[in-house]
Amino acid sequence: MEHELYEREKPIPPEDYIRVDHVSLKNYVARIFEKLGVRKWEAEIVADVLVTADLFGISSHGVQRTRRYVDGIKIGNIDIYSEPKIIMDRGAIAIIDACNGLGQPVSIKAMELAIKKAASYGVSLVLVRNSNHFGIAGYYSLKAVEKGYIGVTMTNSVNLVAYTHTVDRVIGTNPIAVGIPKSEPPPILFDASTSVVPVGKIELYSKQGKEVPSGWVIDSNGNILHGNASYVLKMIKAKKAALLPLGGLGEKHGGHKGSGLAFIIDIISGVLSGAAWGIHVGYTVGEKPSNIGHAFMAIDINAFMSIDEFYNRLQQYINEIKSARKHPKAEKIWIPGEKAWYTMITRKKIGIPLHKNVYNELISIGKDVGVELKLKIL
């Protein structure tokens, strides 16, 4: 399907960015993890998740996070030699112990198991405990979509967010992603954290020299914190600041809704799975292992109606949304997942824009572990 070149996050100013071929970038990142002792297929999955985020225009979760995983492996917070174990398997449900391994490979296995179970039972739920950060949640939901299923992915995360009416970091950014197949691409993909922004956005802003806008972060006294992103990130790392939940400060604009959704996701991903929750979740490069919990659901559409009937009903709904009167200042009416899909198509053609600081950090990591530089600049 052809589409005009589109990027959801344009590199501004463009001279601060280097465009890199996505295949060479994925191979380079995979070799970094292989050099650290990660099994080849697992290294390739980690690299694919990171590069996919950059292809989708979700740079906060792209290769700029390579350092986080590398350092987590080096200090021993991630056990790259462990093997996940299915500790409960009953009908449409299962629980997997990731044994403190990388979050991405076990999540692929969990979604594959969820799809297999949904084929037999119509719906399924597979939980994972004792895991680590797994990248963008939508990556795994799309694995279900590729098989013609609806995929739902949830995870908890380290406590970075102030619950509504508090100033303490007691909940995580706890994202949820829902992928839904369509008769023609792009598929529907809703993928969002339950905080105003993920902390990776502030990490990226720090590397880009940008300023954090008002409304994302509060300090330990409850004051809105904004300005220099490096300073804001320093405050967050020192546990003197917290991200705000989706909706922002208080209840006026729905902050309680973001907090409530994060709370529910944590109950399913963390409490129910046997993983840590809230303040008990560790950080990749923190003082203790993460013990993150994930949840994966698959829904077999054919168990409810024929796939063609579903596609027709879904397309009618989409057409109704698209035909609504557009706001005079809006460029277009978007369905969830369209921006990411067209950005991916564009960046596969013209390359992924990496900020020069992110690019240089990636090169530095490669040198440290002994990976030869083989990035194709476009």
Side-chain angles (χ1 to χ4, degrees):
M1 176 179 174
E2 291 295 324
H3 194 272
E4 63 185 55
L5 297 182
Y6 172 86
E7 290 184 288
R8 62 191 291 177
E9 287 184 352
K10 293 181 175 63
I12 301 174
E15 60 268 20
D16 284 347
Y17 289 79
I18 299 167
R19 286 203 180 264
V20 181
D21 169 68
H22 73 283
V23 175
S24 71
L25 182 59
K26 183 168 66 175
N27 291 338
Y28 180 72
V29 173
R31 288 200 303 272
I32 287 175
F33 288 105
E34 285 186 71
K35 278 287 187 178
L36 292 169
V38 177
R39 289 176 283 259
K40 182 177 175 62
W41 76 271
E42 293 186 339
E44 290 174 348
I45 288 173
V46 175
D48 193 43
V49 175
L50 290 171
V51 173
T52 297
D54 279 315
L55 283 171
F56 282 176
I58 312 172
S59 303
S60 60
H61 286 64
V63 296
Q64 76 95 12
R65 286 205 163 173
T66 303
R67 171 71 71 186
R68 174 177 178 175
Y69 301 129
V70 168
D71 289 350
I73 292 169
K74 284 183 174 181
I75 67 175
N77 269 7
I78 300 175
D79 184 357
I80 60 173
Y81 304 109
S82 65
E83 290 279 1
K85 299 175 182 176
I86 297 176
I87 57 175
M88 191 278 286
D89 191 345
R90 173 185 167 191
I93 63 174
I95 298 176
I96 300 175
D97 189 333
C99 298
N100 198 32
L102 286 158
Q104 292 88 346
V106 70
S107 295
I108 287 291
K109 289 187 173 182
M111 182 55 87
E112 288 175 348
L113 180 58
I115 293 167
K116 181 179 179 180
K117 286 180 172 294
S120 298
Y121 297 98
V123 295
S124 63
L125 174 62
V126 176
L127 303 178
V128 176
R129 65 171 66 158
N130 199 17
S131 187
N132 283 284
H133 191 272
F134 68 5
I136 53 171
Y139 183 91
Y140 311 102
S141 294
L142 286 177
K143 291 301 179 184
V145 169
E146 289 173 4
K147 300 294 185 181
Y149 292 73
I150 293 173
V152 182
T153 303
M154 297 180 283
T155 186
N156 62 10
S157 67
V158 66
N159 57 309
L160 291 166
V161 184
Y163 193 86
T164 299
H165 302 313
T166 78
V167 296
D168 295 322
R169 293 168 33 166
V170 294
I171 54 175
T173 55
N174 301 1
I176 179 171
V178 182
I180 302 173
K182 289 168 55 245
S183 57
E184 297 288 340
I188 293 169
L189 177 63
F190 175 82
D191 184 358
S193 67
T194 50
S195 55
V196 175
V197 291
V199 72
K201 189 84 168 182
I202 298 175
E203 292 172 351
L204 187 62
Y205 271 34
S206 176
K207 293 172 183 176
Q208 294 172 333
K210 291 184 178 180
E211 293 201 343
V212 171
S214 178
W216 287 8
V217 182
I218 58 172
D219 65 20
S220 55
N221 293 316
N223 302 309
I224 297 292
L225 194 61
H226 59 92
N228 184 279
S230 294
Y231 172 74
V232 174
L233 184 60
K234 181 180 178 181
M235 291 287 284
I236 292 172
K237 288 183 175 180
K239 300 184 179 180
K240 295 180 179 178
L243 299 174
L244 285 167
L246 192 62
L249 184 64
E251 296 186 27
K252 185 176 181 180
H253 298 291
H256 60 297
K257 297 178 182 179
S259 285
L261 184 56
F263 181 57
I264 297 302
I265 290 171
D266 211 347
I267 291 173
I268 296 172
S269 301
V271 176
L272 186 62
S273 71
W277 66 83
I279 61 173
H280 304 290
V281 178
Y283 187 56
T284 312
V285 290
E287 299 174 354
K288 60 182 179 181
S290 297
N291 192 11
I292 284 175
H294 316 307
F296 303 91
M297 297 175 60
I299 301 171
D300 182 2
I301 295 168
N302 281 302
F304 297 87
M305 63 176 64
S306 73
I307 193 71
D308 288 336
E309 181 183 1
F310 175 78
Y311 284 159
N312 289 336
R313 289 170 60 84
L314 179 60
Q315 191 58 54
Q316 181 181 342
Y317 187 18
I318 291 171
N319 293 342
E320 291 165 357
I321 296 291
K322 293 276 192 179
S323 62
R325 288 192 302 133
K326 184 168 65 67
H327 190 281
K329 293 184 179 180
E331 58 168 331
K332 186 176 179 179
I333 299 171
W334 296 96
I335 298 299
E338 285 185 326
K339 286 185 177 182
W341 190 266
Y342 295 133
T343 298
M344 175 187 68
I345 292 173
T346 297
R347 291 184 172 178
K348 282 185 175 182
K349 292 178 179 178
I350 66 174
I352 292 172
L354 297 181
H355 189 274
K356 58 185 179 182
N357 291 338
V358 174
Y359 177 84
N360 290 334
E361 181 181 70
L362 202 58
I363 301 310
S364 176
I365 294 171
K367 287 181 178 178
D368 288 344
V369 300
V371 173
E372 183 182 355
L373 179 61
K374 289 185 178 179
L375 287 175
K376 182 180 179 182
I377 308 302
L378 298 179

